[in-house]
Amino acid sequence: MRQLYILRHAQAASPQGVDDKHRPLTRQGLADARALGLLMDRMEYKPDYILCSPARRTRQTLAKIQETLGEDIPVGYASGLYFATTGQLYDHIKRVDSKYRNIMLVSHNPSVHGLARFLTGLGQPDLLMLLELDYRECTMAALDCPIDSWASLLPAQCDLKNLLIPGKDFRGDVVD
């Protein structure tokens, strides 16, 4: 069994004169990302490899999470994860070395939501319904994948174990 954590970056600002790739997180986004990291630590959701879009908001989200999970986890920053389609995200995951059992993807909507829906085949009905309806900023799907290697990952094969949503499952207090 392998675990896949699919994370949409935390809430980002849209400052005037800043291009999309360089948009920073808001204060609330920073707080939500830190709160998610604490919750992941408490729930023992520990990736041993992370795929991350190179956009500023995804890097900042990951940095806040790493404050609690540890910074020694290898990270692959791939330009192909920025503005990727669901299919492109899927292809990136399938190319992850099989030595990594638990991986996390940090990227953008609508593709991360699409990927979580594409891979999920099982789960509690209330979680499956939530997955269909909501994937706001800093939402993370935790999937159990019954595979021996990432290359063998197939659609609708994974079990949605949890869906962590800011304001529902964790509360980020605004940071200075």
Side-chain angles (χ1 to χ4, degrees):
M1 184 71 63
R2 293 171 184 267
Q3 290 187 323
L4 174 61
Y5 310 112
I6 303 172
L7 174 62
R8 181 180 178 191
H9 64 80
Q11 183 185 75
S14 297
Q16 190 171 13
V18 175
D19 67 63
D20 184 71
K21 193 171 186 177
H22 295 97
R23 291 173 46 214
L25 293 184
T26 63
R27 290 177 56 190
Q28 188 61 55
L30 290 166
D32 285 345
R34 184 173 186 288
L36 176 61
L38 291 169
L39 184 57
M40 288 178 68
D41 185 53
R42 196 167 54 246
M43 298 181 86
E44 298 184 2
Y45 289 161
K46 303 275 186 179
D48 50 18
Y49 182 73
I50 299 168
L51 282 167
C52 187
S53 162
R56 183 177 180 189
R57 60 193 178 272
T58 52
R59 287 171 154 308
Q60 285 183 307
T61 300
L62 179 56
K64 280 295 179 188
I65 290 169
Q66 285 177 312
E67 287 177 6
T68 56
L69 295 182
E71 296 181 17
D72 58 338
I73 302 167
V75 179
Y77 293 99
S79 60
L81 297 175
Y82 179 68
F83 277 132
T85 65
T86 295
Q88 290 166 330
L89 294 179
Y90 175 61
D91 289 341
H92 275 275
I93 290 169
K94 288 182 64 116
R95 290 193 300 264
V96 171
D97 192 312
S98 62
K99 71 180 179 183
Y100 299 115
R101 300 207 51 82
N102 304 315
I103 63 173
M104 177 156 63
L105 170 73
V106 186
S107 198
H108 311 269
N109 242 9
S111 301
V112 290
H113 187 200
L115 181 67
R117 292 171 63 215
F118 176 73
L119 293 175
T120 299
L122 301 168
Q124 297 174 6
D126 58 334
L127 284 180
L128 294 171
M129 184 174 62
L130 266 178
L131 178 62
E132 289 299 315
L133 299 175
D134 198 0
Y135 220 89
R136 68 186 83 157
E137 293 97 338
C138 211
T139 293
M140 187 188 83
L143 305 177
D144 278 348
C145 307
I147 54 176
D148 293 326
S149 71
W150 293 109
S152 64
L153 185 64
L154 295 173
Q157 183 180 31
C158 300
D159 184 1
L160 179 63
K161 297 308 277 183
N162 213 333
L163 189 64
L164 305 178
I165 302 172
K168 179 185 179 305
D169 298 301
F170 60 97
R171 183 175 157 271
D173 293 323
V174 175
V175 294
D176 291 325

